[in-house]
Every structure is written in structure tokens, then in C-alpha cells.
Amino acid sequence: MIEFQNVRKEYADVTALNEISFTIPDGEFVFIVGKSGAGKTTVTRVLLMEEKVNSGHIIINGDDITAYPDRLIPYHRRRIGMVFQDFRLFPDKTAYENVAFAMRVIGTPAKEIKQRVPMLLRMMQIENKADHFPEQLSGGERQRVALARAVANNPDIIVADEPTGNVDPEMSLIIMNLLKRINTVLGKTVIVVTHEKGLVDTMGQRVITISEGKVLSDVPAGGAEDD
Amino acid sequence: MTESGKKRYNPFYFVQEAFKGFVRHGIMSAGSIIVLTSCLVLLGAFAALIENLNLNLGNLGMMKEIAVFVDYDLPEDKVTEIGEEIKKLDNVSGVTFISKKQALEEMKETYSDYEELFNDIEANGDNPLADSFIVSYRDNDKVLSLESALHSIPGVLKVNNRLDYAVKAENFKNGMSLVFVWFFLLLLVVAVFVISNTIRLAVEGRREEIDIMRYIGATNSFITAPFIVEGSMIGIISAVAAFFLDAFLYRFAISKLSSDLKMFELLPFSHFRWLFLFSFIGIGVMSGVLTSLFSIRKNLRN
């Protein structure tokens, strides 16, 4: 479970998160939406411990991550699989190597990497491009490699920051369905930060809307707005 | 949460990445190697010089001899008298007479390249040298009183204690040490600067990769290890290059100097071999690793 408790984050003279609070239970699929500058990306940054909060607490599975020392940050990030708008793949590594590298970083034995990577690429329907470099792949294919990498180390949480920002509408839906599959088949908690309202409406999942660093609305999956 | 996820990494990956970085910034890597090699060659040259000086200073001290020169035109019987007087002095263990003719012959032998000059001197009968005695003594502590007793003998022109040479050489050695230490430090600073720039470039070139690594949970040690290996590669290559350069230069110097410096004993390169090899590798790797570590920590902080 992820709990944001009165989290405040300020940059110079801007308040990005203003005493924000919400809870995401394990295995939930959640959209975080809002206008540009609303603070939705800051939510992912503090969740990944890229930024330290000014006040408040972020509790993940009972641990207050705001109290973690810096040396625990890498181990904390291994619990979260990240997907970015610009893919952030290693340009000099093939699709296979990109996924394998994420596993190598945490010291996974070579035998396990060999077994798991083809399975992940198959799951993301990109196994036929395993030996292609990122520049030889389309936007949608790159994002599917990024998804395979995000789940490679079996994290508890997947955070996707504008994952469909660089792909066509048809591929956007495929990406969203893959994220949904990760949520339902693998049981991961999935948080998708996006501004694509149409896509959000199509998926019919919980939607947290942020405005000026505060939760403006919190609509559960297929349901009415919570108070 | 704990660091329980720690696992063993494949060291081959770090070497492979270090090699890539080394090749990618080939010119900077070569620059680092050249400066660090110069530094180590200088260190070796100085160590060899000091070792040879120490050996010869030791030889000078062990000789326990004083050269006593008598006035130029002293008659033969007066010279013999001086010899007898020297023998009677305290602390004297032996006296050897060297006539000015003998001294000239010895000089001719030492400086055989200038034979014509000596032939001219002999032809004119103008031997510029003086008769002398080599006085051997037993105790170094009493050498000053012996020296003053020798000075007080009438007809004695000059007293040369070899300990004086030893003191002069010792002063020379100390002066050289000081110059060397400063020069060595200056080169080391330049080496550290060049290596740190090479590593900084390597970090900059991989900035995006490092960011991705951070997102997927790479530890600082995983990210920094290839750069540390790259630094130690620079250190090892420099150490080996400096070792062979010093071996070549030392043997070349010995072959050129041994005929000119007959009175000195010169150590063979094999005397320094292991000391040079291990100390060069030690210093090279230490400077490479520490500089890389410092540089990457500084650059990763941002």
C-alpha cells in the first residue's frame, strides 16, 4: 500500500505539492491526471526519492520512505519499475540487453537473466525485435521494451510517467492494455501519470486529479467521486 | 527496508565498460598515461641516483683515508722526514708515499683521452703535481685531531680528508632531494589533474546512462566501479611503461658513464628491478584509483 500523508514539496517560490494526501492499495491501477504544472510529476519524483519532501510522510508497505537514508535509495527504487515518456533505453544496447541490464544491475545470476528476458519480451509482444537497437524500433516498440524492463526485477509498483506521450493513438491503447495486463496478471500496483483524458476515460480505472499541488478529485474505478 | 538485495556482480562487465571508456576518450587517456609515466620515470631515476650515491658515500666513509700533499719544491730527504713524522701520530694505521711522478702517471691513465696534454707536460719537465702521502687511520671519531696534527707539520701544503667529500656529496644529495621532491609533486599534481579530467569526460559521456542506471536501482558502487577500473588501467599501463623506460635509460646511462666514472661503483638495474616494478604499480594504481574515485564522486553529486 502507498500512502501520501500531508506531503509538501516546495521549489524556490513554487509549491508543487501542498499537503497532499491519498492512499493506493496494493494491486490497484490508478491514473494521476492534471494540467501541466499541477504537481503530478512531482508525485512520481518524491515517490522515487529523486526529491526530498519538505514535510509529510510517504508510507510504502508500512515503511516511511521519507525517513530513509540516501544509501537505501537504490534498494527502494528496485521496488518500483519506471516507464518514461522518452523511453530512456540504453542506445548502444539491444532490446534484449536493455532488459537484461536492469537485472544485471541488481546482481541477478546470468542463468536467471537468460530464462526471464525472453519471457518478458514475449509478454510485451516484442520478442521478434530482441536483437534490435532502440533506434531501429518504433516509439511503441521502444515503450514495450521499457515496460519489459520495468517489470524485469519483479517490483511491487510500476510508475509510468506519460507513457503514451511519444506514440500514436493506436499504440497508446496497446501500451495501456499492456499496463493493465501487468496489473491484473502480475498483480502489480500501477500508477500512470498522464494528461490524455480520452485514454483515461477508455480505461475506466481510478483517477486522482491534481491541481495546484492538491487532490482536486479522486474517482474510483467505474465509480463516483470520493469525498 | 534493508540492503538485503546485495548480490555478487560479474567483474568482467566492469572491465569491459572501463575499456570502452578508455578507448572512447583515447587522447585524454594517452595524456594521463604520458604524465603519470613521466612522474614515475623521474621517481625511478631519482631513486637510482640516491642509491648509487649512498653506496659510493658509504665506500668513501669506509676507506678511512686522508691525502696529505707536501710543498712543491721540497727536497727528497725532507719529504721522507715528513713521512716518518706522520707515522708517529696517534690514530694512524699506515702511510703510503705517492711521488708526483707516480701521481702524473695515474692521472695519464685515468684521462687517457688527453694523452697529448700530458706528453707536453712531461716533455717540458713541468710536473704541476705535488708529492703526497695517503694516510690510513683507525678511528673516524678522532679524525679531526689527526687532521689538525697533519696541518701543523712543517712542509705540509694541503690535507684532504675524504670525509669532506662525503659531507659535500651528502649536501649535494640533500639539495637534489629537495629539487626532486618539488618536481615530483608538481608532476603528480599535473597527473592527478589530467586523470581527473579524463574521468570527468568519461562520466559526462555516460551521464544519460548513469541516470537510467539510477532509475533501475543501481548502487553508487555499481555505477562508479567501471570508472575506478579505468583509473587503475591508466595507473597500471603507466607503471609498466615507466618500468621499461627506466630500465632502458638506466642501462644506457651506465654504459655511457661507467668508463668516465671509474672511481665510482654503479649498481646494476637488477638491483632495483622488483622495487621499481612494485612501487610503480602501487603508486600508479593508487593515484589512478583515488583520482577516479574523487572525480566521479564530485561529478555524480550533481
Side-chain angles (χ1 to χ4, degrees), chain B residues 17-77:
Chain B
E17 291 301 310
F19 191 73
K20 274 188 206 166
F22 185 85
V23 173
R24 202 178 291 166
H25 304 106
I27 293 175
M28 287 299 286
S29 305
S32 303
I33 289 170
I34 289 168
V35 181
L36 191 57
T37 301
S38 314
C39 211
L40 294 172
V41 165
L42 186 76
L43 178 70
F46 181 74
L49 178 71
I50 294 294
E51 273 289 287
N52 278 299
L53 269 176
N54 279 340
L55 172 77
N56 287 287
L57 284 178
N59 287 349
L60 272 177
M62 275 163 67
M63 285 168 96
K64 291 186 177 176
E65 285 175 352
I66 295 175
V68 178
F69 298 91
V70 297
D71 286 335
Y72 289 106
D73 299 321
L74 225 50
E76 212 171 296
D77 58 331

Side-chain angles (χ1 to χ4, degrees), chain B residues 8-21:
Chain B
R8 196 166 283 192
Y9 296 118
N10 179 4
F12 182 69
Y13 159 76
F14 299 122
V15 177
Q16 196 183 21
E17 291 301 310
F19 191 73
K20 274 188 206 166

Side-chain angles (χ1 to χ4, degrees), chain A residues 90-107:
Chain A
F90 294 103
D92 60 346
K93 290 186 187 342
T94 63
Y96 179 97
E97 288 165 347
N98 262 283
V99 181
F101 186 76
M103 298 175 78
R104 182 185 272 174
V105 158
I106 66 161

Side-chain angles (χ1 to χ4, degrees), chain A residues 50 71 76 78 88 105, chain B residues 1 3 7 9 214-215 217:
Chain A
E50 269 186 80
R71 68 185 161 78
H76 163 68
R78 291 175 189 183
R88 299 205 189 170
V105 158
Chain B
M1 199 181 75
E3 296 161 76
K7 289 180 184 171
Y9 296 118
R214 287 198 177 289
Y215 281 120

